[in-house]
């Protein structure tokens, strides 16, 4: 028991002593370790201080360099600014000196101007005095002297003036004629329409002479009924195996012809049948008139015409003028007008529309009083045609002034269509009368010896007396004859006036 207790005590003492010893050992180790860490920390602190000092020195050097560089730039800018300022001061000084110089020169010029003005006034006074003296000496006023001088210059330079005028006219006319021919040729070649001869009669062929008796009827009642219903005259006995229908109204004449052909084909010719066939012929011709108008409008390319206006236009298919079918003539005028307007930068649609409608008054001019132009204007106004179209169509015979370029174009196209070779036929009497009027008009001018109208009245040659008319007078006569022709005569196309002045000296050698 005591031994065990002793062992326990020894063990407890050993444990205690071991714990104390371990504590001191740990304390010793801890102190050594702490000393080592403090040394390290002190070393690190020293290193950081050295690095910081180096960085500060480097930053100080860098900032010093930057400050030096900035200072240099500031100094450079200051020098440039001072230099520019000095340059501006120099220029300002130069401008001041120039302004001063200009002011001095301006004063000098003003003084010189005043002196010149005074000298000019003095010269004007001297000139007036000299003119007064000259007028007194010469006995002529200034205006009279000027007039006499101009007359002398005109006489001396007359030949030169004529040559220049002729040269300029020839040069200009060559260009204008070439361009005009080009435009007109282009316009004409775009349309080619057939022409028919103007007649006031129509002929219906018969199979035999016996049919004439049926046409006349008992005591002439059939022929009287036929003439009464159609408004034409039947000529039965003059031509064998044919009947001639005479009448100035082409539509009535055509209705009569169709009705008579239907009666002959039917064989039953009596008043009731005549009335029936005449009504059928009227309906047939009315349909043909409408179709002719629609066809013409379609071929020309005019749109928007009133239906009644188209029907009236179709009546022109049975109307002729100097042997030229009026509807075909109107189509031709419309196409030529369109081409001319396009070339001349005018309104081609208005020109074309006015061209096809320009003779529409001829469709009913045998039924209504007035010229075909006045009738046409009323028709177009009634059916709502525009003012531009009416102005363009009404001037083609110069009854109204040409108020627009389109009016001049339609007038020109009408002349082209009517005057081209083969378009129209004229009687010999009218032809000879026109040539006589042309020659008589030129013979009225003073100094004219003789005149000749040639080329079917397209040219007139005027021979003047050389001892009474000089070159300048010949030019004046040519211009005067042309103006008189335009004022007094009506003609298609144009008439060329040629004035001839020649000197002939005859001597005989004996």
């Amino acid at each position: 028991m005591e031994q065990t207790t002793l062992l326990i005590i020894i063990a407890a003492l050993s444990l205690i002593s071991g714990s104390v010893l371990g504590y001191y050992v740990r304390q010793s180790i801890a102190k050594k370790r702490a000393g080592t860490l403090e040394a390290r920390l002190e070393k690190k602190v020293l290193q950081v201080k050295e690095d910081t000092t180096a960085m500060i020195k480097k930053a100080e050097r860098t900032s010093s360099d930057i400050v030096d560089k900035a200072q240099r730039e500031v100094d450079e800018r200051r020098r440039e600014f001072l230099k520019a300022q000095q340059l501006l001061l120099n220029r300002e000084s130069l401008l001041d000196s120039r302004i001063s110089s200009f002011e001095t020169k301006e004063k000098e010029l003003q003084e010189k101007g005043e002196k010149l003005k005074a000298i000019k006034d003095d010269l004007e006074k001297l000139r007036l005095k000299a003119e007064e003296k000259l007028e007194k000496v010469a006995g002529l006023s200034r205006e009279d002297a000027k007039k006499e001088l101009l007359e002398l210059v005109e006489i001396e330079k007359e030949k030169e003036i004529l040559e220049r005028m002729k040269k300029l006219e020839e040069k200009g006319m060559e260009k204008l004629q070439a361009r005009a021919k080009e435009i007109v040729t282009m316009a004409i070649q775009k349309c080619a329409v057939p022409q028919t001869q103007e007649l006031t009669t129509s002929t219906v062929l018969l199979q035999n002479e016996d049919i004439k008796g049926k046409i006349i009827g008992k005591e002439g009642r059939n022929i009287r009924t036929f003439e009464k219903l159609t408004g034409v005259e039947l000529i039965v006995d003059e031509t064998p195996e044919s009947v001639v229908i005479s009448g100035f109204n082409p539509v009535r004449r055509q209705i009569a012809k169709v009705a008579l052909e239907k009666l002959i084909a039917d064989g039953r010719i009596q008043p009731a049948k005549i009335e029936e066939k005449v009504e059928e012929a009227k309906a047939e011709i009315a349909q043909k008139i409408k179709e002719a108008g629609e066809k013409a409008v379609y071929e020309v390319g005019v749109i928007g015409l009133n239906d009644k206006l188209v029907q009236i236009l179709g009546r022109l298919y049975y109307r002729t003028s100097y042997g030229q079918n009026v509807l075909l003539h109107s189509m031709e005028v419309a196409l030529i007008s369109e081409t001319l307007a396009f070339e001349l930068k005018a309104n081609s649609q208005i020109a074309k529309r006015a061209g096809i409608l320009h003779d529409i008054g001829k469709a009913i001019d045998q039924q209504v009083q007035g010229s075909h132009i006045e009738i046409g204007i009323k028709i177009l106004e009634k059916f709502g045609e525009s003012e531009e179209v009416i102005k363009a169509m009404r001037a083609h015979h110069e009854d109204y002034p040409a108020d627009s370029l389109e009016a001049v174009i339609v007038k020109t196209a009408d002349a082209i269509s009517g005057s081209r070779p083969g378009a129209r036929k004229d009687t010999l009497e009218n032809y000879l009368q026109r040539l006589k009027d042309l020659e008589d008009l030129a013979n009225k001018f003073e100094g004219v010896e003789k005149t000749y109208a040639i080329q079917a009245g397209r040219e007139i040659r005027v021979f003047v007396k050389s001892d009474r008319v000089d070159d300048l007078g010949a030019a004046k006569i040519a211009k005067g004859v042309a103006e008189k022709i335009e004022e007094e005569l009506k003609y298609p196309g144009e008439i060329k006036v040629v004035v001839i002045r020649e000197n002939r000296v005859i001597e005989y050698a004996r």
Side-chain angles (χ1 to χ4, degrees), residues 109-134:
L109 288 173
Q110 287 178 353
E111 292 175 358
K112 288 182 179 179
E114 291 175 358
K115 290 179 180 179
L116 288 173
K117 186 177 180 181
I119 293 170
K120 184 178 179 181
D121 293 339
D122 294 339
L123 288 174
E124 183 67 20
K125 292 176 181 178
L126 292 173
R127 186 182 65 80
L128 292 174
K129 290 180 181 179
E131 285 182 0
E132 291 176 358
K133 291 181 179 180
L134 286 173

Side-chain angles (χ1 to χ4, degrees), residues 49-65:
K49 287 182 178 180
E50 291 177 358
D51 293 340
T52 302
T53 303
M55 290 175 65
I56 290 171
K57 291 181 178 180
K58 184 177 181 181
E60 290 176 351
R61 288 195 298 270
T62 303
S63 62
S64 178
D65 293 339

